[in-house]
Amino acid sequence: MRFGALEAGGTKMVCAVGTEEGRILDRVSIPTETPEITMPKLLAYFQDKDIEALGIGCFGPVDLDRKSETYGHIMMTPKLAWRGYDICGYFREGLNVPVGFDTDVNGSMLGESTWGCAKGLDTAIYITVGTGVGVGVLAGGKLLHGMQHPEGGHMLIPARKDDSYKGKCPSHGHCLEGLAAGPAIEERWGAKGTALADRQEVWELEAYYLAYAITNYIFVLSPQKIIVGGGVMHQEQMFPLVRKKVTEMLGGYLKTKELENMESYIVPPSLHDDQGIMGALKLGMEERSQCQDS
Ligand code: ADP
Ligand code: ZN
């Protein structure tokens, strides 16, 4: 049986076909332009692939409330051409197969919990630190949705006393994304993250903000594992810094076997950058079995 997977990003759309075992058989990457230009190309890719269902991990915010009239639509994105766009409906009509839908970060979380380092866990989070910051949450063995989906990247954070940067988020200034996403690093330090690799103070401050948010996620969600990916985390020197600061910020309040082994608690993704597309594949598989049950 073959399933389609779409990782819908703000700069590119990764389309793939894979099996129930999570094996990716074929993939292409198509630039994200406007829906009018991009969507027919995506549809054409999937149309002759004989897929049983399609799963989409999408940039957000998105409407995940199945009772809502705009379920499966992209919501208040700054990418204006995509605002309000019914991405799910387009594929449902065009392909006539079940379409599973979730955020990109929930998709990555699902990839890791199905085939990666969070396999078998009940509660875990997946954080991406890139152009923005996103947080996918697995709680009680399921992706957490609530009203729509968590927006952990916008957790409000006070600036460190020695940091006078105003923050880049247009809605909050000082939220995790506004203080610590790639564009905030670039604006604060006047150079892209890749050019700042040997500036220790950059990664020390970055690790401080990540640790601050992660400590709060730990208190609220009690995750058994925390996976941190995205372009900025290619600065791998941050992992030991983040683990150390989280331990300090927890203040000895929690004692668990997971927290005793920080190296296996706060970790990079385990699926070699395929966690998003594999998660989308699983979203398609889950939607198909739900449709068969009902
Ligand atoms: P996106 O979030 O758009 O899907 P990425 O996860 O690759 O894409 O994140 C892009 C951001 O990460 C950019 O702001 C870029 O400057 C930053 N980035 C990419 N690679 C590195 C690196 N090696 N070190 C630090 N920052 C990086
Ligand atoms: Zn924000």
PDB file of all heavy atoms in Angstrom, residues 123-135:
ATOM      1  N   THR A 123       4.185  10.928  26.224  1.00  0.00           N
ATOM      2  CA  THR A 123       4.191  12.392  26.194  1.00  0.00           C
ATOM      3  C   THR A 123       5.585  12.898  25.814  1.00  0.00           C
ATOM      4  O   THR A 123       6.579  12.507  26.427  1.00  0.00           O
ATOM      5  CB  THR A 123       3.765  12.945  27.568  1.00  0.00           C
ATOM      6  OG1 THR A 123       2.446  12.460  27.848  1.00  0.00           O
ATOM      7  CG2 THR A 123       3.745  14.457  27.594  1.00  0.00           C
ATOM      8  N   ALA A 124       5.644  13.729  24.779  1.00  0.00           N
ATOM      9  CA  ALA A 124       6.933  14.257  24.306  1.00  0.00           C
ATOM     10  C   ALA A 124       6.673  15.550  23.549  1.00  0.00           C
ATOM     11  O   ALA A 124       5.527  15.844  23.179  1.00  0.00           O
ATOM     12  CB  ALA A 124       7.607  13.239  23.393  1.00  0.00           C
ATOM     13  N   ILE A 125       7.727  16.335  23.349  1.00  0.00           N
ATOM     14  CA  ILE A 125       7.555  17.530  22.512  1.00  0.00           C
ATOM     15  C   ILE A 125       8.647  17.603  21.448  1.00  0.00           C
ATOM     16  O   ILE A 125       9.746  17.094  21.634  1.00  0.00           O
ATOM     17  CB  ILE A 125       7.515  18.848  23.331  1.00  0.00           C
ATOM     18  CG1 ILE A 125       8.819  19.092  24.083  1.00  0.00           C
ATOM     19  CG2 ILE A 125       6.354  18.867  24.293  1.00  0.00           C
ATOM     20  CD1 ILE A 125       8.831  20.417  24.820  1.00  0.00           C
ATOM     21  N   TYR A 126       8.282  18.227  20.348  1.00  0.00           N
ATOM     22  CA  TYR A 126       9.218  18.461  19.245  1.00  0.00           C
ATOM     23  C   TYR A 126       9.275  19.970  19.004  1.00  0.00           C
ATOM     24  O   TYR A 126       8.264  20.611  18.707  1.00  0.00           O
ATOM     25  CB  TYR A 126       8.728  17.753  17.965  1.00  0.00           C
ATOM     26  CG  TYR A 126       9.693  17.907  16.817  1.00  0.00           C
ATOM     27  CD1 TYR A 126      10.611  16.908  16.521  1.00  0.00           C
ATOM     28  CD2 TYR A 126       9.712  19.072  16.047  1.00  0.00           C
ATOM     29  CE1 TYR A 126      11.522  17.055  15.482  1.00  0.00           C
ATOM     30  CE2 TYR A 126      10.625  19.231  15.014  1.00  0.00           C
ATOM     31  CZ  TYR A 126      11.517  18.221  14.742  1.00  0.00           C
ATOM     32  OH  TYR A 126      12.422  18.379  13.720  1.00  0.00           O
ATOM     33  N   ILE A 127      10.462  20.527  19.149  1.00  0.00           N
ATOM     34  CA  ILE A 127      10.634  21.976  18.970  1.00  0.00           C
ATOM     35  C   ILE A 127      11.467  22.195  17.711  1.00  0.00           C
ATOM     36  O   ILE A 127      12.487  21.514  17.524  1.00  0.00           O
ATOM     37  CB  ILE A 127      11.398  22.585  20.170  1.00  0.00           C
ATOM     38  CG1 ILE A 127      10.720  22.203  21.490  1.00  0.00           C
ATOM     39  CG2 ILE A 127      11.514  24.107  20.032  1.00  0.00           C
ATOM     40  CD1 ILE A 127      11.533  22.569  22.735  1.00  0.00           C
ATOM     41  N   THR A 128      11.043  23.111  16.854  1.00  0.00           N
ATOM     42  CA  THR A 128      11.908  23.488  15.746  1.00  0.00           C
ATOM     43  C   THR A 128      12.310  24.952  15.903  1.00  0.00           C
ATOM     44  O   THR A 128      11.480  25.806  16.217  1.00  0.00           O
ATOM     45  CB  THR A 128      11.254  23.227  14.372  1.00  0.00           C
ATOM     46  OG1 THR A 128      12.197  23.562  13.361  1.00  0.00           O
ATOM     47  CG2 THR A 128      10.004  24.040  14.157  1.00  0.00           C
ATOM     48  N   VAL A 129      13.598  25.209  15.750  1.00  0.00           N
ATOM     49  CA  VAL A 129      14.119  26.571  15.844  1.00  0.00           C
ATOM     50  C   VAL A 129      14.726  26.913  14.486  1.00  0.00           C
ATOM     51  O   VAL A 129      15.825  26.457  14.150  1.00  0.00           O
ATOM     52  CB  VAL A 129      15.184  26.702  16.959  1.00  0.00           C
ATOM     53  CG1 VAL A 129      15.519  28.179  17.194  1.00  0.00           C
ATOM     54  CG2 VAL A 129      14.717  26.049  18.249  1.00  0.00           C
ATOM     55  N   GLY A 130      13.971  27.632  13.688  1.00  0.00           N
ATOM     56  CA  GLY A 130      14.419  27.966  12.333  1.00  0.00           C
ATOM     57  C   GLY A 130      14.015  29.389  12.016  1.00  0.00           C
ATOM     58  O   GLY A 130      14.299  30.308  12.793  1.00  0.00           O
ATOM     59  N   THR A 131      13.316  29.589  10.900  1.00  0.00           N
ATOM     60  CA  THR A 131      12.812  30.919  10.550  1.00  0.00           C
ATOM     61  C   THR A 131      11.810  31.385  11.612  1.00  0.00           C
ATOM     62  O   THR A 131      11.694  32.574  11.897  1.00  0.00           O
ATOM     63  CB  THR A 131      12.138  30.867   9.159  1.00  0.00           C
ATOM     64  OG1 THR A 131      13.080  30.304   8.248  1.00  0.00           O
ATOM     65  CG2 THR A 131      11.717  32.230   8.704  1.00  0.00           C
ATOM     66  N   GLY A 132      11.085  30.425  12.158  1.00  0.00           N
ATOM     67  CA  GLY A 132      10.230  30.678  13.323  1.00  0.00           C
ATOM     68  C   GLY A 132      10.564  29.625  14.366  1.00  0.00           C
ATOM     69  O   GLY A 132      11.502  28.855  14.195  1.00  0.00           O
ATOM     70  N   VAL A 133       9.786  29.626  15.437  1.00  0.00           N
ATOM     71  CA  VAL A 133       9.901  28.545  16.416  1.00  0.00           C
ATOM     72  C   VAL A 133       8.538  27.874  16.513  1.00  0.00           C
ATOM     73  O   VAL A 133       7.518  28.565  16.670  1.00  0.00           O
ATOM     74  CB  VAL A 133      10.328  29.064  17.811  1.00  0.00           C
ATOM     75  CG1 VAL A 133      10.398  27.905  18.816  1.00  0.00           C
ATOM     76  CG2 VAL A 133      11.686  29.764  17.734  1.00  0.00           C
ATOM     77  N   GLY A 134       8.516  26.563  16.394  1.00  0.00           N
ATOM     78  CA  GLY A 134       7.257  25.812  16.512  1.00  0.00           C
ATOM     79  C   GLY A 134       7.431  24.691  17.511  1.00  0.00           C
ATOM     80  O   GLY A 134       8.544  24.197  17.712  1.00  0.00           O
ATOM     81  N   VAL A 135       6.329  24.319  18.141  1.00  0.00           N
ATOM     82  CA  VAL A 135       6.382  23.235  19.120  1.00  0.00           C
ATOM     83  C   VAL A 135       5.227  22.266  18.859  1.00  0.00           C
ATOM     84  O   VAL A 135       4.062  22.665  18.892  1.00  0.00           O
ATOM     85  CB  VAL A 135       6.283  23.781  20.570  1.00  0.00           C
ATOM     86  CG1 VAL A 135       6.418  22.638  21.575  1.00  0.00           C
ATOM     87  CG2 VAL A 135       7.351  24.840  20.831  1.00  0.00           C
TER      88      VAL A 135
END
